[in-house]
Amino acid sequence: MTTSFGAATGIVLPTDPEFRLQSFTGLKSSHSIAFTRNLRVFPVPFCSPTLIRAVSTPVKPETSATEPKRSKVEIFKEQSNFIRYPLNEEILTDTPNINEAATQLIKFHGSYQQYNRDERGTRSFSFMLRTKNPGGKVPNQLYLTMDDLADQFGIGTLRLTTRQTFQLHGVLKKDLKTVMGTIIRNMGSTLGACGDLNRNVLAPAAPLMAKEYRFAQETADNIAALLTPQSGFYYDVWVDGEKFMTSEPPEVVKARNDNSHGTNFPDSPEPIYGTQFLPRKFKIAVTVPTDNSVDILTNDIGVVVVSDENGEPQGFNIYVGGGMGRTHRMETTFARLGEPLGYVPKADILYAIKAIVATQRDHGRRDDRRYSRMKYLISSWGIEKFRSVVEQYYGKKFEHFHELPEWEFKSYLGWHEQGDGALFCGLHVDNGRIGGKMKKTLREVIEKYNLNVRITPNQNLILCDIRSAWRRPITTVLAQAGLLHPKYVDPLNLTAMACPAFPLCPLAITEAERGIPDILKRVRAVFEKVGLKYSESVVIRVTGCPNGCARPYMAEFGLVGDGPNSYQIWLGGIPNQTQIARTFMNKVKVQDLEKVFEPLFYYWKQKRQPKESFGDFTTRMGFEKLRELVDKWEGPVQSPARYNLKPFADKETYEAMEELAKLQNKTAHQLAMEVIRNFVAAQQNGKSE
């Protein structure tokens, strides 16, 4: 018999005299305190661990006489009483900000301290909150709550992230407890959305009833539960110790409690994380074959459902070692794709995940945070040694990786059948920023029809569980708010992504979210200039710094902040996000981007092979040849426009349109065509949908 503290607290104490846990303390400090106040206890049945013993229990890293060098953040974690102190005191002071230690610790609670970098002089501090939504699932009640909080305590907008969560910007310190408590009490959480632990677990956002899709979502939920902190610090700080416990599947509880191979700290309130948690953030995605809506290879762990010929899930392929963050001109830091680790039966997935996490926990670097992601451990060891060590924690050998079909990027935009008689509607949201009329209309629709919502890894929104009779009225009202059917959205916008960057991100070097609308318009103008069709597209991603939050290193054309108003340009990603890009040019000023756009897109049109993507073209041509073409560029050979539309019948109309266009940094013709396209789109949506 064992006694377990549930999802919120999670301490496990053996009470059966026949059951003995290994005496492994790992990274636990001798000064740490087991925090057990306000814990609710409930019994769960104990299931004996698997009897398979194919490999030995891992040997823990030896401790030397002199304490190894550790980063400052490691000290903060150790002295925090499991991520409580001094945050619990700092949030009660009258100052608008919190101290350095609390700034690091609040990340584990799902928040970052920020200030407005557009302002000069006194800093205006605020906090960004990020929710945790495995697979992007957002219940109706939580969506409406987040919508209210954005208006009452934020900057009036919600932002959809590339990891299927909400970001709420502009929350003042005095309002933090109110906002956090409101989220918790309305089916939400921000626990673990930031910090040195497992982040939000991705899964395909489409609410499809197909067996493998439901199994992928269930697996994402279980992994998220398995790796949720258990010591109760989140609830102690924000809701004064009140527990909001949810039931967990018995297989999650069993896997978390199992210490057959030395994965746990048996005397710790954090059985998996211990006092130090992980060396750095940790990212996991789950998907099904062909569906790369989650950028599977960019994660620390990528999990792929493997089914039999009848569509019945049998197990999982596992990739390891992906990650985007890097530092400019430091070749020892790099973006990296995940590589195959092996295959496990479906009953073993939680044990395999825990074994990988324990390997990174015990062997990842804690002295220099630039090298603390698991990708650097795998790069240093090599995949064979990494697999061997993980197998010791897992207790078995991994089976051979199963062959998979070609990956595809799936956006799930537009209308689709769920498979249960209901429909879902995927909506494109530029840069994931929901505000203004769009925000008001979305709320009205979600509230009126009692819809649940899902957030996609491409910063878009899916409305779920829609009856067929609701399709036409919903389509019409959404179109009036600018939420158009994807066939009426510029194809460049459909795959583009940007991080928030200025004005709030402290790491931003240049613009991303605020800059990408103009960049995309300029790319569209270059397409028209060199004769590319409107229907053609290139995957463009922009970040304000090299940390890569919008995954620019997987883009066909990546722009990475590289100084004030300048970007490093990356080329060579491909549309299905399975090939990493490479650095093409450094420090290209934003005003000079056409000098790069024009020759590259012109020669892509002129020299590409049939159906060759821009990313594949740049790889085939080679960067040396492409740089030569850019250096010698003198402009395209002009060809007549396919359509010679003249929207202006008189001089007065033209001059009025020209004045409006100048305010938006466009030509009169560009603005007129945009107005015409939007009008036609609205009319078509109202008629045919």
Side-chain angles (χ1 to χ4, degrees):
M1 177 72 181
T2 63
T3 301
S4 171
F5 301 94
T9 52
I11 307 171
V12 180
L13 301 175
T15 57
D16 187 339
E18 297 297 314
F19 180 60
R20 294 289 183 270
L21 290 171
Q22 301 176 30
S23 58
F24 164 46
T25 57
L27 297 166
K28 185 176 183 295
S29 164
S30 60
H31 303 294
S32 62
I33 301 170
F35 192 89
T36 57
R37 180 172 59 84
N38 292 334
L39 299 180
R40 295 181 185 174
V41 180
F42 62 94
V44 296
F46 172 71
C47 301
S48 60
T50 176
L51 298 177
I52 297 175
R53 296 290 182 271
V55 295
S56 61
T57 298
V59 177
K60 296 298 178 291
E62 294 182 4
T63 56
S64 59
T66 59
E67 187 173 339
K69 180 184 176 184
R70 295 185 297 165
S71 70
K72 185 185 295 186
V73 176
E74 291 297 314
I75 307 300
F76 290 153
K77 287 187 287 186
E78 179 178 302
Q79 297 175 349
S80 70
N81 188 19
F82 294 97
I83 321 298
R84 292 175 174 85
Y85 175 82
L87 177 61
N88 53 356
E89 296 181 354
E90 283 290 303
I91 61 172
L92 300 178
T93 65
D94 293 332
T95 60
N97 61 313
I98 55 179
N99 67 18
E100 183 182 6
T103 298
Q104 293 298 328
L105 298 179
I106 200 171
K107 296 176 185 179
F108 291 77
H109 297 254
S111 179
Y112 282 87
Q113 179 172 263
Q114 300 179 329
Y115 63 92
N116 190 338
R117 297 177 64 187
D118 283 346
E119 295 180 356
R120 295 294 177 262
T122 304
R123 289 183 175 180
S124 298
F125 287 98
S126 65
F127 292 81
M128 178 271 281
L129 274 60
R130 183 183 295 151
T131 58
K132 195 171 184 182
N133 311 89
K137 292 189 294 186
V138 182
N140 176 272
Q141 180 181 338
L142 178 59
Y143 184 93
L144 299 178
T145 297
M146 296 301 297
D147 183 82
D148 287 337
L149 291 173
D151 291 337
Q152 294 172 21
F153 300 102
I155 60 173
T157 67
L158 284 171
R159 196 172 197 278
L160 314 177
T161 78
T162 58
R163 291 202 71 78
Q164 299 185 274
T165 65
F166 286 118
Q167 282 186 180
L168 180 63
H169 290 99
V171 178
L172 300 180
K173 190 177 91 169
K174 66 182 180 64
D175 298 322
L176 273 174
K177 286 197 74 166
T178 299
V179 174
M180 287 285 202
T182 302
I183 292 172
I184 292 168
R185 292 183 176 93
N186 286 276
M187 306 175 67
S189 176
T190 65
L191 173 58
C194 321
D196 298 344
L197 70 176
N198 180 52
R199 301 290 184 88
N200 197 52
V201 180
L202 302 188
L208 297 170
M209 292 297 111
K211 189 174 294 184
E212 62 180 1
Y213 273 91
R214 288 189 286 116
F215 189 60
Q217 184 72 62
E218 177 187 320
T219 302
D221 291 340
N222 288 348
I223 292 172
L226 173 74
L227 299 177
T228 294
Q230 299 293 298
S231 55
F233 63 80
Y234 181 64
Y235 302 100
D236 283 335
V237 171
W238 303 113
V239 288
D240 300 322
E242 184 180 357
K243 300 298 184 293
F244 289 78
M245 299 170 67
T246 56
S247 60
E248 292 183 309
E251 62 266 30
V252 173
V253 178
K254 178 186 173 186
R256 182 190 298 122
N257 295 350
D258 180 76
N259 196 33
S260 302
H261 304 287
T263 53
N264 285 22
F265 300 102
D267 56 347
S268 173
E270 289 291 352
I272 296 177
Y273 290 125
T275 59
Q276 303 302 110
F277 287 76
L278 297 180
R280 199 75 193 273
K281 60 186 174 183
F282 201 89
K283 297 180 177 180
I284 301 174
V286 183
T287 193
V288 304
T290 75
D291 189 336
N292 198 21
S293 59
V294 298
D295 264 5
I296 189 74
L297 300 179
T298 66
N299 291 271
D300 292 86
I301 303 176
V303 179
V304 186
V305 177
V306 176
S307 302
D308 62 18
E309 61 274 10
N310 298 318
E312 187 67 38
Q314 299 297 307
F316 300 90
N317 277 345
I318 299 177
Y319 294 97
V320 290
M324 294 285 95
R326 49 175 288 279
T327 302
H328 282 318
R329 286 165 284 282
M330 284 188 64
E331 298 303 316
T332 52
T333 67
F334 44 81
R336 188 182 192 275
L337 296 186
E339 57 185 306
L341 180 70
Y343 169 89
V344 298
K346 63 182 180 181
D348 287 354
I349 186 60
L350 298 181
Y351 299 90
I353 293 292
K354 199 167 94 163
I356 297 168
V357 170
T359 301
Q360 163 65 357
R361 177 197 69 198
D362 292 346
H363 298 278
R365 287 182 61 172
R366 293 179 182 268
D367 59 329
D368 189 335
R369 291 177 66 80
R370 285 176 296 187
Y371 305 103
S372 293
R373 290 290 298 275
M374 193 173 76
K375 65 181 178 181
Y376 294 113
L377 178 64
I378 296 175
S379 181
S380 171
W381 279 3
I383 191 64
E384 295 301 329
K385 177 179 177 180
F386 183 82
R387 182 184 294 114
S388 176
V389 174
V390 172
E391 285 173 342
Q392 293 176 55
Y393 288 99
Y394 175 38
K396 302 179 185 180
K397 295 285 187 181
F398 286 102
E399 298 178 33
H400 290 299
F401 202 80
H402 287 220
E403 185 175 349
L404 294 172
E406 191 75 18
W407 290 106
E408 302 172 21
F409 168 72
K410 298 187 178 184
S411 70
Y412 296 109
L413 296 176
W415 287 92
H416 306 268
E417 294 184 357
Q418 293 182 175
D420 59 357
L423 305 172
F424 71 89
C425 181
L427 302 172
H428 171 71
V429 181
D430 278 336
N431 304 308
R433 182 68 68 180
I434 298 176
K437 186 176 182 181
M438 178 198 300
K439 180 173 175 294
K440 182 175 182 292
T441 300
L442 277 173
R443 188 206 171 84
E444 290 172 353
V445 170
I446 291 167
E447 192 168 29
K448 177 178 179 179
Y449 296 99
N450 195 32
L451 303 180
N452 295 313
V453 169
R454 296 196 183 187
I455 302 170
T456 82
N458 244 50
Q459 301 174 296
N460 295 321
L461 201 67
I462 292 178
L463 305 181
C464 308
D465 310 314
I466 302 172
R467 296 180 187 175
S468 297
W470 300 343
R471 176 172 174 168
R472 183 166 182 174
I474 287 176
T475 298
T476 301
V477 71
L478 291 176
Q480 291 169 351
L483 289 160
L484 306 174
H485 189 284
K487 66 184 178 183
Y488 301 120
V489 179
D490 190 322
L492 289 170
N493 292 58
L494 290 177
T495 56
M497 290 200 297
C499 70
F502 288 128
L504 293 176
C505 178
L507 302 177
I509 305 170
T510 193
E511 298 284 3
E513 181 183 344
R514 295 194 305 195
I516 195 173
D518 181 62
I519 289 171
L520 293 176
K521 289 187 180 81
R522 290 163 65 185
V523 171
R524 174 56 61 199
V526 170
F527 268 35
E528 293 176 0
K529 183 175 181 179
V530 302
L532 285 164
K533 296 178 182 177
Y534 180 79
S535 59
E536 299 193 78
S537 186
V538 168
V539 178
I540 298 172
R541 295 176 176 177
V542 183
T543 60
C545 83
N547 279 356
C549 293
R551 304 191 287 271
Y553 310 118
M554 303 301 290
E556 294 183 276
F557 206 115
L559 297 165
V560 181
D562 194 18
N565 299 311
S566 70
Y567 296 96
Q568 189 179 69
I569 293 178
W570 287 65
L571 302 176
I574 55 178
N576 70 356
Q577 276 100 66
T578 58
Q579 181 171 292
I580 203 160
R582 292 183 294 127
T583 310
F584 178 63
M585 297 181 73
N586 292 307
K587 292 191 175 296
V588 178
K589 289 294 183 182
V590 66
Q591 64 267 24
D592 295 331
L593 288 174
E594 276 80 0
K595 296 177 182 178
V596 184
F597 290 155
E598 283 191 10
L600 293 181
F601 294 143
Y602 176 79
Y603 285 107
W604 175 44
K605 180 180 185 300
Q606 297 297 323
K607 298 180 179 293
R608 63 184 169 182
Q609 296 175 350
K611 298 184 178 180
E612 185 175 38
S613 70
F614 178 73
D616 282 329
F617 165 77
T618 58
T619 300
R620 179 175 61 83
M621 291 290 288
F623 283 12
E624 186 175 340
K625 176 63 175 177
L626 293 177
R627 289 190 188 98
E628 180 183 331
L629 294 175
V630 170
D631 290 342
K632 294 182 177 180
W633 180 247
E634 294 181 355
V637 176
Q638 293 294 331
S639 57
R642 186 177 176 188
Y643 300 109
N644 187 26
L645 296 179
K646 296 181 179 179
F648 304 109
D650 59 85
K651 183 178 179 182
E652 288 183 2
T653 302
Y654 172 79
E655 289 176 346
M657 187 67 76
E658 187 177 39
E659 288 300 315
L660 289 172
K662 285 179 181 178
L663 297 175
Q664 299 183 38
N665 196 27
K666 302 173 186 173
T667 66
H669 188 272
Q670 286 175 329
L671 180 59
M673 296 309 299
E674 190 175 302
V675 170
I676 292 170
R677 284 193 190 108
N678 289 341
F679 176 77
V680 172
Q683 294 297 310
Q684 290 297 321
N685 271 283
K687 287 179 182 178
S688 62
E689 302 294 351

